[in-house]
């Protein structure tokens, strides 16, 4: 029987802390060769759109998340990105579950940033800066406040209404929030900076960064011509990536820095999983600037989805269909 979980089903079943732990474990397992996560190929769709089949396998499961990146949707009042996750058994091939990808993508993305922050930011980091104030910013505020003693949040967005919504959605954290006048102000005040915009051009520049900061570059879509941080920022930082193959396939931040001659391909070889397992170094001193280039991986989706499916079965949630009948 295939378990079908809608967005509403999944939103009720997600636990941020459990997903963070699962994502950290999955990246460690990838480093040890226990998971497989090949770099996805982008398929061209009409109107400059693309589809990205994100495939991964653990010891128990195989999953494919089909991410459709459709810029033209914005003019139609539709989400620019939509995704669906299919999970099958790695033991007998049976289709186990079909899940809407929206909530899982947002929370696993923030969870991954929290894992990177836990391993790369200084222990004393206490001011969180958010460039962008949408739903992904809300999730990052929750995720990073769970792993660092955040005393203040500084947030900037081009939309004041979006900042208003961010303030309402993060009140429960009990952390003071400052509205910044610009992205540069965010960087000037924050110890941990998260870029969370769909920008094509850089919104954070290397000349703004200071010793000891940690940056999570998260929001740019998986397109080789989009980036949120400039080449100088990449060059100044100890760069850690979710996957070398992944960033070399679809990270504009890395690919454009390579094209500019600011870095070499070897500079993008330190993977988060290797930092987690100790196979590679992340931060080496309090003065390092560290930067995590987060493109997004199927293993993060599967790690989160396995938890959601287990919880749904426990509580009897979702719809079950026999595809073999």
């Amino acid at each position: 029987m295939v378990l079908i979980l809608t967005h509403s089903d999944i939103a009720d079943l997600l636990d941020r802390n459990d997903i963070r732990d699962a994502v950290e474990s999955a990246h460690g397992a990838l480093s040890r060769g226990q998971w497989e996560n090949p770099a996805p190929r982008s398929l061209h769709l009409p109107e400059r759109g693309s589809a990205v089949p994100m495939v991964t396998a653990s010891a128990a499961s195989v999953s494919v998340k089909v991410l459709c990146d459709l810029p033209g949707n914005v003019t139609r009042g539709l989400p620019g990105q939509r995704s669906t996750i299919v999970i099958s058994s790695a033991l007998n091939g049976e289709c186990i579950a079909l899940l809407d990808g929206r909530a899982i993508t947002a929370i696993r993305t923030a969870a991954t940033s929290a894992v990177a922050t836990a391993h790369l930011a200084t222990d004393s980091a206490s001011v969180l800066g958010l460039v962008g104030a949408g739903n992904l910013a809300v999730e990052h505020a929750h995720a990073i406040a769970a792993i660092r003693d955040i005393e203040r949040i500084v947030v900037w967005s081009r939309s004041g209404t979006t900042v208003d919504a961010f303030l309402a959605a993060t009140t429960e954290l009990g952390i003071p929030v400052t509205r910044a006048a610009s992205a540069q102000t965010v960087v000037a005040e924050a110890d941990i900076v998260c870029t969370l915009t769909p920008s094509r051009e850089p919104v954070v520049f290397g000349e703004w960064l200071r010793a000891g900061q940690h940056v999570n570059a998260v929001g740019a879509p998986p397109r080789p011509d989009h980036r949120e941080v400039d080449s100088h920022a990449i060059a100044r930082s100890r760069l850690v990536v979710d996957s070398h193959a992944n960033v070399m396939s679809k990270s504009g931040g890395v690919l454009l820095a390579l094209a500019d001659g600011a870095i070499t391909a070897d500079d993008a070889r330190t993977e988060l999983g290797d930092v987690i397992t100790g196979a590679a170094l992340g931060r080496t001193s309090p003065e390092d600037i560290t930067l995590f280039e987060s493109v997004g991986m199927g293993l993060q989706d599967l790690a989160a989805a396995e938890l959601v499916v287990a919880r749904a079965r426990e509580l009897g949630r979702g719809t079950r269909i026999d595809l073999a009948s």
Side-chain angles (χ1 to χ4, degrees):
M1 300 289 285
V2 179
L3 177 64
I4 299 177
L5 295 173
T6 66
H7 171 73
S8 298
D9 293 329
I10 293 165
D12 289 339
L13 297 169
L14 290 165
D15 181 281
R16 291 183 176 99
N17 291 333
D18 287 347
I19 288 176
R20 183 189 68 242
D21 292 344
V23 166
E24 182 174 44
S25 177
H27 274 278
L30 181 67
S31 174
R32 291 187 290 268
Q34 298 164 335
W35 282 51
E36 290 189 49
N37 197 109
R41 290 194 60 181
S42 181
L43 310 175
H44 296 292
L45 299 179
E47 299 182 27
R48 295 181 57 248
S50 63
V52 183
M54 302 168 67
V55 182
T56 194
S58 68
S61 308
V62 178
S63 72
V64 181
K65 171 177 160 181
V66 178
L67 169 66
C68 291
D69 181 30
L70 300 165
N73 268 4
V74 177
T75 62
R76 304 182 187 102
L78 299 172
Q81 293 186 346
R82 287 176 159 173
S83 60
T84 306
I85 303 167
V86 180
I87 304 176
S88 297
S89 168
L91 304 177
N92 61 23
E94 176 188 9
C95 185
I96 296 171
L98 177 67
L99 302 87
D100 180 77
R102 178 166 39 136
I104 285 177
T105 299
I107 291 184
R108 65 78 157 153
T109 299
T112 305
S113 293
V115 171
T117 302
H119 287 274
L120 297 172
T122 61
D123 292 338
S124 62
S126 61
V127 179
L128 172 62
L130 304 173
V131 179
N135 183 55
L136 201 53
V138 172
E139 290 302 331
H140 274 71
H142 281 274
I144 292 175
I147 55 92
R148 280 292 186 277
D149 185 12
I150 300 299
E151 298 176 358
R152 185 164 64 97
I153 297 172
V154 185
V155 60
W156 172 80
S157 171
R158 291 186 176 92
S159 167
T161 302
T162 304
V163 176
D164 290 339
F166 173 85
L167 292 171
T170 55
T171 301
E172 65 191 81
L173 291 174
I175 300 173
V177 178
T178 301
R179 292 175 183 255
S182 66
Q184 186 172 3
T185 302
V186 171
V187 177
E189 298 187 17
D191 305 314
I192 301 163
V193 178
C194 301
T195 62
L196 305 162
T197 75
S199 183
R200 181 169 185 166
E201 302 297 332
V203 293
V204 168
F205 296 86
E207 64 191 45
W208 299 352
L209 301 179
R210 67 176 190 276
Q213 278 185 311
H214 171 65
V215 179
N216 295 307
V218 181
R223 302 175 201 159
D225 59 347
H226 282 59
R227 60 177 171 178
E228 295 180 289
V229 298
D230 72 346
S231 296
H232 185 39
I234 296 279
R236 288 193 65 195
S237 304
R238 291 189 62 84
L239 177 63
V240 176
V241 301
D242 50 16
S243 156
H244 176 73
N246 204 33
V247 298
M248 296 302 289
S249 170
K250 56 179 183 167
S251 165
V254 169
L255 294 173
L256 291 171
L258 282 166
D260 289 341
I263 62 171
T264 69
D266 284 342
D267 292 321
R269 289 195 182 277
T270 300
E271 298 187 355
L272 178 59
D274 292 337
V275 174
I276 291 168
T277 61
L281 291 176
R283 175 175 294 276
T284 63
S285 79
E287 288 73 38
D288 281 343
I289 298 169
T290 53
L291 190 149
F292 175 58
E293 178 69 10
S294 176
V295 182
M297 299 175 65
L299 72 79
Q300 298 157 359
D301 297 306
L302 179 55
E306 285 181 333
L307 289 177
V308 169
V309 169
R311 185 71 173 152
R313 286 173 172 166
E314 178 185 340
L315 298 176
R317 301 283 183 84
T319 302
R320 287 162 177 78
I321 296 177
D322 183 2
L323 292 183
S325 64

